[in-house]
């Protein structure tokens, strides 16, 4: 299959490697061309957005912000201007549900199938090909997408019509926010009371309190590894979308709002391009107490 992919950052790079390994023809575009070089070395073709859209049976997006998605899809020179009838558009970006609904409607006018399909699993899930894909759209669109989604995913679910994939991802991010603050506070408490943190993580991960935040990101916190599997600034964007959607639904989610403010504090301290596990730094500063030397 001829596949086009726009956005070859931390997640997109690994996902594209699986596509190439599966033997598909891959055309790619990224605003920072150097980030695409590893894929070019593996046989991907770096082209313009217009050529990518015109020659692809399916176009996939993994971008940073809803504004990027809107420009790349619906802009004057967006992919919908060039995609052929019966082609497929899959947006893996975590974005706004209303934008997903708009893209679906505009794609329908062009006879293009579309899915909003945000993912969960982080950098490790992308590298190991075991992402969770949360889809919104039609069964027909999902059937077209599945042969590609399966090369980098372990769980693919259709949650309803356009926008429901993004709503599901908001639930994912709300739960993750709670897990992150729980992990940070648990590690601070454990260290302050003289516990060995790696032993602590290994003990608790076998019980009811385990989560990816605890077992994977908690260990990175202890090791002082703040390299991004997912950027703080992008997580803030996700939490902002979740709060906006909660407001639209007349829901009060005070825990979510608190975690968002702590991440804003981390970004203000210069941590916007760190991984989300860097939340420990904001709480260390708040308590004037560090769990390790860095």
């Amino acid at each position: 299959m001829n596949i086009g992919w726009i956005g070859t950052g931390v997640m997109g790079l690994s996902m594209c490697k699986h596509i190439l390994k599966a033997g598909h023809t891959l055309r790619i575009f990224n605003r920072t061309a150097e980030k695409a070089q590893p894929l070019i070395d593996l046989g991907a073709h770096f082209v313009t957005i217009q050529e990518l859209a015109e020659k692809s049976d399916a176009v996939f997006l993994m971008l940073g912000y809803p504004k990027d998605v809107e420009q790349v899809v619906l802009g004057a020179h967006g992919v919908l201007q060039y995609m052929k009838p019966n082609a497929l558009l899959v947006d893996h970006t975590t974005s706004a549900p209303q934008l997903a609904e708009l893209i679906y409607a505009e794609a329908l006018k062009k006879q293009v199938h579309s899915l909003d399909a945000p993912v969960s699993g982080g950098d490790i899930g992308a590298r190991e090909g075991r992402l969770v894909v949360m889809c919104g759209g039609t069964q027909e669109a999902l059937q077209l997408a599945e042969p590609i989604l399966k090369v980098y995913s372990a769980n693919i679910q259709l949650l309803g019509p356009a926008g429901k994939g993004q709503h599901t991802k908001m639930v994912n991010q709300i739960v993750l926010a709670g897990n992150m603050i729980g992990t940070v506070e648990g590690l601070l408490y454990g260290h302050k009371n003289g516990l060995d943190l790696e032993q602590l993580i290994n003990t608790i991960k076998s019980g009811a309190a385990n989560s990816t935040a605890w077992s994977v990101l908690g260990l990175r916190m202890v090791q002082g590894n703040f390299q991004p599997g997912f950027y703080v600034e992008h997580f803030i964007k996700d939490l902002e979308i979740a709060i906006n959607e909660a407001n639209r639904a007349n829901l009060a989610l005070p825990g979510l709002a608190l975690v968002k403010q702590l991440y804003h504090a981390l970004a203000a301290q210069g941590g916007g391009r760190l991984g989300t596990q860097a939340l420990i730094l904001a709480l260390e500063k708040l308590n004037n107490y560090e769990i390790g030397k860095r």
Side-chain angles (χ1 to χ4, degrees):
M1 186 182 289
N2 288 305
I3 297 171
W5 193 286
I6 302 174
T8 59
V10 173
M11 298 287 288
L13 181 68
S14 292
M15 296 160 81
C16 284
K17 285 181 178 179
H18 290 294
I19 291 173
L20 287 168
K21 187 176 180 180
H24 298 285
T25 299
L26 183 64
R27 293 177 176 85
I28 57 175
F29 178 82
N30 195 71
R31 284 183 300 186
T32 308
E34 311 89 75
K35 291 185 178 179
Q37 192 60 49
L39 296 173
I40 296 169
D41 293 341
L42 291 172
H45 308 281
F46 193 92
V47 297
T48 64
I49 287 180
Q50 180 175 345
E51 181 179 346
L52 183 152
E54 288 175 341
K55 294 185 177 180
S56 296
D57 302 309
V59 174
F60 290 74
L61 310 178
M62 179 56 93
L63 304 173
Y65 297 90
K67 64 181 181 182
D68 301 324
V69 174
E70 186 170 10
Q71 179 182 6
V72 166
V73 177
L74 302 175
H77 300 288
V79 293
L80 275 185
Q81 301 300 320
Y82 308 111
M83 292 178 71
K84 52 195 176 186
N86 295 316
L88 171 69
L89 176 63
V90 177
D91 183 18
H92 283 313
T93 313
T94 300
S95 185
Q98 286 73 35
L99 179 57
E101 293 169 4
L102 176 60
I103 288 171
Y104 174 81
E106 293 302 312
L108 197 61
K109 295 175 184 177
K110 302 281 187 178
Q111 300 177 45
V112 170
H113 302 279
S114 73
L115 283 176
D116 51 286
V119 301
S120 181
D123 55 329
I124 295 175
R127 286 199 305 271
E128 296 181 355
R130 51 179 181 83
L131 292 171
V132 177
V133 187
M134 303 161 244
C135 301
T138 65
Q139 188 66 47
E140 184 179 4
L142 179 61
Q143 288 174 345
L144 292 171
E146 271 188 319
I148 307 304
L149 298 178
K150 285 179 177 178
V151 305
Y152 49 76
S153 307
N155 187 359
I156 303 163
Q157 297 289 330
L158 181 64
L159 284 306
K164 298 305 184 188
Q166 296 296 352
H167 278 301
T168 304
K169 182 60 183 286
M170 290 303 104
V171 174
N172 186 88
Q173 301 306 73
I174 291 166
V175 173
L176 178 57
N179 288 342
M180 290 299 294
I181 190 62
T183 293
V184 168
E185 292 184 347
L187 290 176
L188 281 165
Y189 178 92
H191 191 273
K192 188 79 169 183
N193 284 283
L195 297 175
D196 179 279
L197 294 186
E198 291 196 18
Q199 183 182 23
L200 179 65
I201 289 170
N202 287 329
T203 300
I204 287 181
K205 75 179 184 182
S206 299
N210 189 40
S211 66
T212 300
W214 177 260
S215 61
V216 176
L217 299 180
L219 188 58
R220 293 184 190 180
M221 294 175 194
V222 173
Q223 295 170 342
N225 174 6
F226 303 119
Q227 290 299 308
F230 187 51
Y231 291 113
V232 164
E233 62 187 17
H234 288 168
F235 194 41
I236 291 173
K237 173 263 299 181
D238 293 357
L239 301 184
E240 183 72 34
I241 294 171
I243 286 175
N244 288 342
E245 292 302 315
N247 289 340
R248 284 168 52 86
N250 197 29
L251 284 174
L253 302 179
L256 175 64
L258 172 61
V259 176
K260 179 174 176 286
Q261 289 303 312
L262 291 170
Y263 271 107
H264 275 299
L266 176 59
Q269 295 161 15
R273 297 293 287 178
L274 298 178
T276 52
Q277 68 273 22
L279 181 62
I280 187 73
L281 300 176
L283 272 291
E284 285 180 337
K285 194 173 186 67
L286 183 64
N287 285 281
N288 193 29
Y289 180 82
E290 295 185 0
I291 65 170
K293 298 293 183 184
R294 304 189 183 100

